[in-house]
Amino acid sequence: MSKAALTRIHILQKAFDLIYRQGFQATSIDEIIATTELTKGAFFYHFKNKDEMGLAMIRELLAPAMQIALIEPLQKAEDPLDAIYEMMESILLKDSFFLSSYGCPAVNLIDEMSPVNESFRLALLEIMMAGKEAMEATIQRGMDQGRIRKDVKPSQVSAFVLIGYSGVRNMGKLVGAACYPIYLRELRTYLQNLA
Amino acid sequence: MSKAALTRIHILQKAFDLIYRQGFQATSIDEIIATTELTKGAFFYHFKNKDEMGLAMIRELLAPAMQIALIEPLQKAEDPLDAIYEMMESILLKDSFFLSSYGCPAVNLIDEMSPVNESFRLALLEIMMAGKEAMEATIQRGMDQGRIRKDVKPSQVSAFVLIGYSGVRNMGKLVGAACYPIYLRELRTYLQNLA
DNA sequence: CAAAAAACATACCAGATAGTATTTTATGTC
DNA sequence: GACATAAAATACTATCTGGTATGTTTTTTG
C-alpha cells in the first residue's frame, strides 16, 4: 500500500471517529485534519469535497464494518434463529467499538443524511439491504431445515429485526446501554415464536 | 394571549417545521426568522440563545404533540393490545403531519442531540418516559382484565414497542413509508402472542 | 540524476453563523 | 396624552465553514 493510500484511509478513519460521535454535518473538515497530522491541501487532494469523503467513508469503512458485524455471523451459523439472536447480542453487548452513547454509525447516518442527501441515502441503503438479504437467507435456511414455521415471511421478519436494531440504537442514546438487555429478551421471545 | 406570546410561539412553530426536516444544528437562526416576518431582535428578545429556543420547542410543542399522538389514544381504549396497535397504525399511516421521509421529530432529536447536549437529552427522555409509562399502564390494565398473559412484563413490552417505533421511523427515512405496513404486521403478531 | 508528476503545505476568501449593542417602535398605565 | 417599559428592528462582530489558488516538498520515472 502506497504512502498516499495510507494517508487517504488515515483521513477516512479519523473522519469516521468524529462523524460517529458528532454527526456528519456537525464535523468540520478543519476538525478532521486537526486530528491527523495533515493540512487542508492533503484533504482536498484526496477528496473532491466533503460529501465525496463521506461517501468514501461509508463505502470503504462503514460497509465492511457492518458486513463483519451483521452479515458474517449469520452466514456461519447452524441454527438460524440462534444465529440472529447471537449476532444481535454480540453487536450490542460485546462489540467494543460501537459505543452505546453514540449509537450505531450506520443508523446515525441514515437518520441524519437520508432526508437531505440522496447519494448518502443510496449508499446507506445498500448496506442495510445487504444485511436484510443475509438475514432473509438465514431465515429461509431455517424454514428449509424445518426449524422455522412455514407461514413465516423471511422478508418481513428480517425487516422487523433490523427495525428493532436501529430502534434500540436510538433508545440507547437516550437511556444508555441499559435498554439493550431488555430489547434482547423481547427479541428472543419474538424469535422463539417463529419456531 | 398577548401579541408577544403569539410571536413567541410563532417563532417556535416555524423553528419546529425547519428543525423537523433539517435537524437542530443544521437549522440556522437566520433561516428561522426568514420564514417568520421577524428579525433577530425578536428572536433574541424571546430566547436567550438557540439552545434555549430548542428546549422551549421540545417542551411547548413537541411534548404536547407526542402526548396527543402517543398517550391519549392509549388511555381511552377498551382492549389494550388493540389500543397499542391502533395507536401505532394511526401515528404511522394516518397522521398527516409526521411525514415518513422526515421521520418522527422526537426520534430525530434523540438521535441528533442526546449524545451532544445533556439538557436536550433530559427533555426528550421525559417525553419518551411519559409514553412508556402510559403504555405500561395500558398493558397492566390488560393483565388485570385477563386479556394479557400473567408472565408478560409490561416494562419490557412497552420498551420493545417504543424501540420498534423509533426503529421504523429510522427505516422509513431510508426506504420510505413502504416499511410501515410491514412493521405493523409483525407488531400485530408480536402483540397477539402476548394474549 | 534530472524532469515530471504526485502528494502535501500555506495562505487566502466569500459566505454563513450565533450572538451583541444599540436604536426604534408598540403597548399598556396613570 | 405623557411616560415607562415591553417588543422588535437594525447594524455590526468574531468566528467558523467549505473550498480555492498557489506554492513547496516528495516520489516516481526516463
Side-chain angles (χ1 to χ4, degrees):
Chain A
M1 188 178 250
S2 74
K3 203 179 164 226
L6 267 166
T7 69
R8 186 191 143 92
I9 68 148
H10 185 216
I11 293 173
L12 286 179
Q13 275 162 350
K14 292 296 184 179
F16 186 93
D17 290 349
L18 289 167
I19 291 166
Y20 175 37
R21 281 176 287 146
Q22 302 178 336
F24 178 78
Q25 297 173 99
T27 300
S28 70
I29 296 172
D30 285 337
E31 208 176 349
I32 294 169
I33 59 167
T35 66
T36 65
E37 301 279 279
L38 299 162
T39 58
K40 232 166 218 189
F43 185 96
F44 281 98
Y45 175 79
H46 287 285
F47 307 102
K48 214 179 84 200
N49 51 41
K50 195 189 171 190
D51 279 12
E52 290 300 318
M53 185 279 296
L55 290 169
M57 183 199 76
I58 290 174
R59 284 193 269 261
E60 295 169 38
L61 292 187
L62 183 58
M66 293 300 286
Q67 164 93 18
I68 289 168
L70 229 102
I71 297 178
E72 284 175 13
L74 292 178
Q75 286 166 343
K76 52 184 174 197
E78 31 178 332
D79 186 83
L81 292 180
D82 282 356
I84 292 175
Y85 178 82
E86 270 156 32
M87 176 271 286
M88 197 64 83
E89 188 180 63
S90 164
I91 202 173
L92 287 179
L93 300 182
K94 300 198 182 87
D95 197 305
S96 58
F97 184 64
F98 290 2
L99 243 58
S100 73
S101 36
Y102 299 118
C104 165
V107 174
N108 294 355
L109 283 171
I110 289 170
D111 220 79
E112 180 190 1
M113 299 305 290
S114 282
V116 296
N117 189 311
E118 182 68 4
S119 300
F120 275 67
R121 207 198 110 239
L122 292 174
L124 295 161
L125 185 60
E126 265 193 60
I127 293 177
M128 292 312 260
M129 284 303 113
K132 180 160 181 272
E133 278 158 27
M135 208 181 302
E136 274 180 43
T138 302
I139 294 166
Q140 187 58 55
R141 222 157 15 102
M143 288 171 71
D144 296 343
Q145 292 170 2
R147 302 173 112 124
I148 298 178
R149 288 203 323 272
K150 299 285 177 196
D151 61 312
V152 166
K153 303 261 182 298
S155 169
Q156 280 189 34
V157 172
S158 56
F160 191 70
V161 173
L162 276 182
I163 283 168
Y165 172 69
S166 63
V168 80
R169 284 305 197 177
N170 184 271
M171 194 63 76
K173 288 184 175 185
L174 193 63
V175 304
C179 66
Y180 291 168
I182 295 170
Y183 166 73
L184 285 170
R185 267 197 287 272
E186 290 303 305
L187 173 67
R188 161 144 279 178
T189 72
Y190 167 77
L191 290 172
Q192 281 169 347
N193 282 326
L194 300 178
Chain B
M1 188 179 248
S2 74
K3 201 176 164 232
L6 267 164
T7 70
R8 185 191 143 92
I9 69 150
H10 186 217
I11 293 173
L12 286 179
Q13 276 163 348
K14 293 296 185 179
F16 186 92
D17 291 349
L18 289 167
I19 291 166
Y20 175 35
R21 281 175 287 146
Q22 303 178 336
F24 178 77
Q25 296 174 102
T27 301
S28 71
I29 296 172
D30 285 337
E31 208 177 349
I32 294 168
I33 59 168
T35 67
T36 67
E37 302 279 276
L38 299 162
T39 58
K40 230 165 221 189
F43 185 96
F44 281 99
Y45 174 77
H46 287 285
F47 307 103
K48 216 179 82 200
N49 52 40
K50 195 188 171 190
D51 279 12
E52 289 300 317
M53 186 279 296
L55 290 170
M57 183 199 77
I58 290 174
R59 284 192 270 259
E60 295 169 37
L61 292 186
L62 184 58
M66 294 300 285
Q67 165 92 16
I68 289 169
L70 228 104
I71 298 177
E72 285 176 12
L74 291 178
Q75 286 168 341
K76 52 185 175 196
E78 31 178 332
D79 187 83
L81 292 180
D82 283 355
I84 292 175
Y85 177 82
E86 270 155 32
M87 175 272 285
M88 198 63 85
E89 188 180 63
S90 164
I91 202 172
L92 287 180
L93 301 182
K94 298 195 182 92
D95 198 305
S96 57
F97 184 65
F98 289 3
L99 244 57
S100 72
S101 35
Y102 299 119
C104 166
V107 174
N108 293 355
L109 283 170
I110 289 169
D111 219 79
E112 180 189 1
M113 300 304 291
S114 281
V116 296
N117 188 311
E118 182 68 3
S119 299
F120 275 66
R121 206 198 110 239
L122 293 174
L124 295 162
L125 185 61
E126 265 193 59
I127 292 178
M128 293 311 262
M129 283 303 114
K132 179 160 182 273
E133 278 158 26
M135 207 180 302
E136 275 181 42
T138 302
I139 294 165
Q140 187 58 55
R141 219 151 23 95
M143 289 171 71
D144 297 342
Q145 292 171 1
R147 302 173 112 124
I148 296 177
R149 288 201 323 271
K150 301 285 179 198
D151 60 313
V152 165
K153 303 261 183 296
S155 168
Q156 280 189 34
V157 172
S158 56
F160 191 70
V161 173
L162 276 182
I163 282 167
Y165 172 69
S166 64
V168 80
R169 284 306 196 177
N170 185 271
M171 193 62 77
K173 288 183 176 186
L174 192 63
V175 304
C179 65
Y180 290 169
I182 296 170
Y183 166 73
L184 286 170
R185 267 197 286 272
E186 290 305 304
L187 173 67
R188 161 143 279 175
T189 72
Y190 167 76
L191 290 173
Q192 280 169 349
N193 282 327
L194 299 177

